[in-house]
Amino acid sequence: MKDAKKLSDFVKPYRVDEGKSFRLKDFDPGDTCGLNSESKGLAAELLQQGIEKLADLQDKLYAQDRWSLLLIFQAMDAAGKDSTIKHVMSGINPQGCQVYSFKVPSPEELDHDFLWRTTRCLPERGRIGIFNRSYYEETLVVRVHPELLKAERIPDELVTKRIWEKRFEDIGCFEEHLARNGTVVRKFFLHVSKNEQKKRFLARLDQPEKNWKFSAADVREREYWNDYQSAYEEMIRNTSTEDAPWFVVPADHKWFTRLVVAGAVVDALKGMGLQYPEVDPQKRKELEEARKLLLKNEKKKA
Ligand code: AMP
Ligand code: MG
């Protein structure tokens, strides 16, 4: 591995801009893009640089107050969503970042269309918003478990065979609308293998400090593995666009997952061409006057 490798080199292979020919089986959850245990040091260094760059760009994003960034995380249980969010965002200013985790919808949320609850949580200008699960659950868990769709109480004549296709269309229009209004959308599917998931579940059972993470429901959901994999594949095929691409991030090695996600976030922010706001002549005058006042007061006291 040559030292000249850049962070963004580890992002490109996993980016899906156009989903028509996408097949999940072309992506290996154990992939590390040529990095091995010997080059792990390089990976750690690149990740650290990425996190520092992210902090610098976020400062500009906040100061400029024009763009916002929405990061969406979807995955099977134990794929590492929480820890990826924690590590990648470790260097940024909490004031400029909003994280929302979407769980089973409440009765109030079920009383609205499926984009309602997430729309209320979209990032303000100048902020990074993180969705830990999202409206995409409406094409995943709700598709795998038809009784959840029933619970939404959509009038029967509107629930046709084409409902998933229609949902993909609605999501596509919604994300285009966000892009047109200055919210850059980046979506991450953390792609873990069934075997690695089993290992992580067992670790949750075996290690007392991980017991709290274990949920019997997660093991039951595992029974639907193949249904979920096809739902994910369909979702990525139908909702990958240049403005709102999916990243199919290998998730069997957490250190590699973090590297790819950090790189993709840095690339997204770089693409905004962020700059600190220019000071206009009026503001410059105010700054000069403030300086004079400060110095005058100091002289008086001395
Ligand atoms: P966790 O993120 O592990 O705390 O689990 C949250 C649970 O909420 C998962 O089992 C999701 O499948 C479920 N969930 C999230 N969004 C929805 C939704 N729109 N409809 C039904 N279940 C959902
Ligand atoms: Mg869980």
Side-chain angles (χ1 to χ4, degrees):
M1 179 63 46
K2 283 191 236 90
D3 278 357
K5 276 266 181 195
K6 298 187 302 296
L7 191 53
S8 56
D9 295 334
F10 297 102
V11 178
K12 277 184 215 114
Y14 310 107
R15 177 173 167 141
V16 184
D17 283 293
E18 205 278 298
K20 264 193 209 115
S21 55
F22 174 78
R23 284 178 319 181
L24 199 48
K25 68 174 167 57
D26 295 338
F27 289 75
D28 173 10
D31 189 12
T32 54
C33 201
L35 292 173
N36 52 28
S37 45
E38 279 150 45
S39 41
K40 250 173 131 175
L42 166 69
E45 208 176 293
L46 281 172
L47 177 61
Q48 194 47 42
Q49 285 167 11
I51 288 173
E52 282 163 26
K53 186 78 200 152
L54 218 158
D56 171 56
L57 289 165
Q58 186 215 5
D59 203 48
K60 293 196 176 100
L61 176 80
Y62 191 82
Q64 185 175 311
D65 205 15
R66 305 289 295 271
W67 295 93
S68 48
L69 178 63
L70 174 63
L71 306 174
I72 292 180
F73 289 87
Q74 288 291 160
M76 296 297 285
D77 292 303
K81 284 188 278 97
D82 295 15
S83 74
T84 303
I85 293 169
K86 181 164 108 184
H87 279 84
V88 173
M89 299 297 150
S90 59
I92 69 171
N93 179 355
Q95 280 218 86
C97 182
Q98 300 151 319
V99 187
Y100 295 94
S101 298
F102 294 99
K103 312 273 179 189
V104 176
S106 69
E108 187 193 17
E109 289 166 347
L110 285 175
D111 263 342
H112 293 267
D113 74 273
F114 79 88
L115 290 172
W116 182 77
R117 68 168 174 166
T118 40
T119 302
R120 304 164 94 206
C121 303
L122 288 170
E124 296 158 43
R125 291 195 198 284
R127 311 283 170 115
I128 299 176
I130 297 175
F131 284 180
N132 185 346
R133 303 186 191 273
S134 66
Y135 44 82
Y136 280 104
E137 289 292 334
E138 295 289 336
T139 71
L140 297 166
V141 69
V142 179
R143 188 170 188 177
V144 172
H145 297 285
E147 66 276 17
L148 295 176
L149 183 61
K150 274 228 158 70
E152 295 185 3
R153 299 185 353 269
I154 300 168
D156 284 343
E157 62 264 43
L158 302 179
V159 184
T160 69
K161 274 204 301 251
R162 298 179 68 197
I163 187 159
W164 311 114
E165 196 188 312
K166 295 294 167 198
R167 285 195 168 185
F168 292 139
E169 235 174 76
D170 292 340
I171 289 173
C173 292
F174 176 66
E175 289 179 348
E176 199 173 330
H177 160 76
L178 292 180
R180 287 175 176 157
N181 285 276
T183 297
V184 171
V185 182
R186 294 291 181 266
K187 307 176 296 204
F188 301 94
F189 167 52
L190 306 193
H191 184 26
V192 75
S193 66
K194 197 171 181 192
N195 203 27
E196 180 63 24
Q197 190 200 49
K198 184 174 170 182
K199 275 196 213 154
R200 292 184 190 173
F201 281 167
L202 288 172
R204 288 177 179 185
L205 289 170
D206 293 342
Q207 300 170 26
E209 71 281 8
K210 287 192 177 168
N211 281 171
W212 66 274
K213 280 197 203 172
F214 183 79
S215 139
D218 290 354
V219 176
R220 284 196 298 273
E221 254 355 67
R222 184 177 159 81
E223 299 289 308
Y224 297 91
W225 185 272
N226 291 341
D227 295 344
Y228 273 108
Q229 298 299 300
S230 12
Y232 273 110
E233 185 171 78
E234 278 271 293
M235 173 192 84
I236 294 165
R237 287 179 80 101
N238 286 283
T239 59
S240 294
T241 63
E242 216 174 298
D243 277 339
W246 275 103
F247 293 87
V248 180
V249 187
D252 278 4
H253 302 283
K254 287 194 170 188
W255 59 270
F256 189 69
T257 310
R258 289 167 196 162
L259 192 69
V260 175
V261 174
V265 178
V266 167
D267 284 354
L269 289 167
K270 273 190 183 163
M272 296 175 188
L274 300 169
Q275 276 171 352
Y276 287 109
E278 292 245 351
V279 173
D280 62 27
Q282 173 64 28
K283 179 84 181 169
R284 185 158 310 283
K285 218 169 125 207
E286 276 171 36
L287 297 180
E288 284 310 321
E289 274 161 19
R291 182 200 302 279
K292 275 188 214 143
L293 192 64
L294 273 170
L295 293 174
K296 199 163 96 193
N297 288 347
E298 296 293 317
K299 259 191 209 155
K300 262 193 207 159
K301 274 193 193 147

